[in-house]
Each structure stands twice: as structure tokens, then as C-alpha cells.
Amino acid sequence: HSMVLEPLTRTLYVFAGQRDEKYLCDMFAYDIATNTATELFSNFSAAGGPNSSFTQRAVIDPSLRELYV
């Protein structure tokens, strides 16, 4: 998976990962203050994001509020 911290809202964004030898393409947001995880996309590639993979990287631009995977 790839995980980035959005420091202004203290939200962790988690993309993809692997479960039972299957690569995932989901995305979650974890709100540190409320200890709450929310699924943003069950299939991020269907929404224009990257395909499932094992070695992706991610970075966030907090000023633009954009996540690059």
C-alpha cells in the first residue's frame, strides 16, 4: 500500500495494498482525531486513478489538496 499524511486535516490516505495474493485498488481516509476510517473508493482505477500494483508510490500536496499516486 501507499500511505500519506495530509498535515492540515491530520488525515491519512491509504491506497491499495495486497490481500491473499491479490493486488487491491481501493482508497481509504483515516481521520486521526476521530479514529475513523472511510472508504473513498472501492476501485480507484474506475474513478480515474492508477491500476492495482505492488510498488506504487504516493505523495500529497497539502496546499493544493492533491494526492499523486
Side-chain angles (χ1 to χ4, degrees):
H1 71 272
S2 292
M3 181 173 63
V4 294
L5 171 66
E6 204 289 270
L8 302 175
T9 62
R10 295 183 36 85
T11 302
L12 290 171
Y13 291 93
V14 182
F15 169 70
Q18 182 179 0
R19 183 180 304 125
D20 300 325
E21 298 185 25
K22 178 184 175 193
Y23 297 132
L24 305 175
C25 193
D26 52 3
M27 180 175 277
F28 287 81
Y30 174 73
D31 186 309
I32 295 170
T34 62
N35 193 30
T36 304
T38 303
E39 184 177 46
L40 303 176
F41 299 98
S42 60
N43 184 345
F44 192 36
S45 63
N51 293 326
S52 303
S53 67
F54 181 67
T55 59
Q56 78 278 354
R57 306 288 186 265
V59 65
I60 195 164
D61 183 332
S63 61
L64 294 177
R65 300 205 53 182
E66 292 182 351
L67 175 68
Y68 303 93
V69 180

